[in-house]
Amino acid sequence: MSKVFISGSISTKTLPNGVLESLKKIQNNNMTILVGDADGIDKVIQDHFKKNNYDNVHVYSIYSSPRYLSSKTFQKKFVNVALEITKERERQTYKDEAMSVDSDYSLVVWDGKSKGSHKNIIRALSLDKKVKVYLSNEDRFIEPKRINKNEIDFIFYENNGYSAKEVVDYLNNEGKEYFKNTRALNKFLIDKKIIEKQDEIYVPLKNQDLFIIEKYRGKISGIKFKNSFIDWLESTIDSKAKQVDLF
């Protein structure tokens, strides 16, 4: 019997029509549902199948009693986590990893930003599992041929942005060692009058569409870099530059 791991953002409170159609097919095919015990998508999925009198649902939890269990007819699956792992987010990751391994398919309802959902998609792909992704922020399924690591990473960073270190690491991984460190990248952008430092915070002076401007209580708290920033950077810097000594 095929098993499908269903996951998504904790902010999910309702299921779009497209996702409901997929859930109907899953139920009609008597597939085993693997789902977590958190709020958000986990709760919504459990409630959906309870409402539809479908009990072929396995609820995974790192606790002996799941944090949320919609129906007593659902099976409980305990995932053991080593005691030395104390950070809650890291502990919960073991539960997701277990469901990825145990499943044949993954259905992810993703807002394009959730780090956990991003990891679930990438992990499923690395395990060669079939993956279906619903982009809730665009109200559509991603075309199957576009569900690959590069496309999923592109969507994630377009919505979350890269840190300066992630930009430098990305370029180095591509064999483009323009900058030795983030200090060199920031200096280059300051010299080009793209950004400036105000009260210990970098802010864009121009080309603002290349950045995600982060705010806290209405004030700029920092910047992240979009995919378009990396394209701009590569086209701006001399392609023959191997080192950043001149920066």
Side-chain angles (χ1 to χ4, degrees):
M1 186 178 295
S2 295
K3 300 177 181 178
V4 54
F5 168 28
I6 305 177
S7 65
S9 170
I10 198 169
S11 63
T12 302
K13 303 301 180 186
T14 59
L15 296 171
N17 289 332
V19 174
L20 289 172
E21 285 297 317
S22 287
L23 298 182
K24 185 177 180 180
K25 292 178 182 178
I26 287 170
Q27 183 169 339
N28 289 341
N29 286 305
N30 197 33
M31 297 177 72
T32 300
I33 312 300
L34 310 186
V35 66
D37 63 341
D39 199 3
I41 190 69
D42 292 351
K43 181 180 185 299
V44 172
I45 290 298
Q46 287 192 42
D47 289 348
H48 170 83
F49 285 112
K50 177 184 178 181
K51 180 181 177 181
N52 285 273
N53 300 310
Y54 188 72
D55 60 7
N56 191 8
V57 177
H58 294 197
V59 178
Y60 281 57
S61 178
I62 63 172
Y63 307 108
S64 57
S65 180
R67 292 172 296 176
Y68 185 78
L69 185 67
S70 183
S71 172
K72 293 181 180 180
T73 63
F74 295 166
Q75 293 191 39
K76 295 182 287 186
K77 175 76 173 182
F78 173 68
V79 178
N80 189 39
V81 181
L83 292 176
E84 56 265 28
I85 300 171
T86 58
K87 292 184 178 179
E88 182 67 12
R89 184 182 294 273
E90 188 177 350
R91 289 173 62 82
Q92 293 294 343
T93 297
Y94 276 79
K95 175 193 64 184
D96 290 344
E97 289 176 349
M99 288 187 281
S100 293
V101 171
D102 292 348
S103 63
D104 303 295
Y105 303 89
S106 277
L107 170 61
V108 186
V109 184
W110 189 32
D111 58 6
K113 299 181 71 172
S114 167
K115 292 181 180 180
S117 297
H118 172 253
K119 286 182 178 179
N120 288 343
I121 298 168
I122 297 301
R123 188 189 309 110
L125 291 171
S126 70
L127 293 171
D128 201 27
K129 304 295 176 82
K130 295 180 180 179
V131 189
K132 193 170 185 178
V133 181
Y134 188 88
L135 270 183
S136 58
N137 60 322
E138 297 184 13
D139 195 24
R140 66 177 180 88
F141 281 105
I142 299 178
E143 297 175 36
K145 65 181 180 181
R146 295 183 62 192
I147 300 179
N148 55 67
K149 185 179 186 304
N150 288 341
E151 183 70 21
I152 297 303
D153 282 346
F154 181 92
I155 294 170
F156 177 77
Y157 285 110
E158 188 66 16
N159 286 287
N160 290 283
Y162 297 81
S163 66
K165 183 180 184 305
E166 287 172 333
V167 170
V168 173
D169 289 346
Y170 174 87
L171 292 171
N172 286 339
N173 289 336
E174 292 292 310
K176 300 176 180 178
E177 300 176 357
Y178 299 148
F179 307 104
K180 292 178 179 177
N181 48 43
T182 58
R183 184 180 301 174
L185 170 62
N186 289 328
K187 185 178 186 303
F188 172 77
L189 296 175
I190 289 173
D191 291 344
K192 290 284 187 181
K193 300 189 185 310
I194 303 298
I195 64 173
E196 70 174 6
K197 203 170 188 179
Q198 298 177 1
D199 299 325
E200 300 304 312
I201 295 172
Y202 291 108
V203 297
L205 292 174
K206 56 183 180 180
N207 294 14
Q208 293 198 11
D209 58 324
L210 301 179
F211 304 93
I212 292 177
I213 300 174
E214 299 182 310
K215 292 187 177 182
Y216 178 71
R217 293 184 176 178
K219 294 183 179 180
I220 296 177
S221 58
I223 57 174
K224 290 286 188 71
F225 304 90
K226 290 186 176 182
N227 291 301
S228 54
F229 170 82
I230 293 179
D231 292 339
W232 170 85
L233 193 61
E234 291 174 329
S235 65
T236 300
I237 296 176
D238 183 353
S239 61
K240 294 182 180 180
K242 301 288 185 182
Q243 285 287 15
V244 220
D245 299 325
L246 52 153
F247 301 144

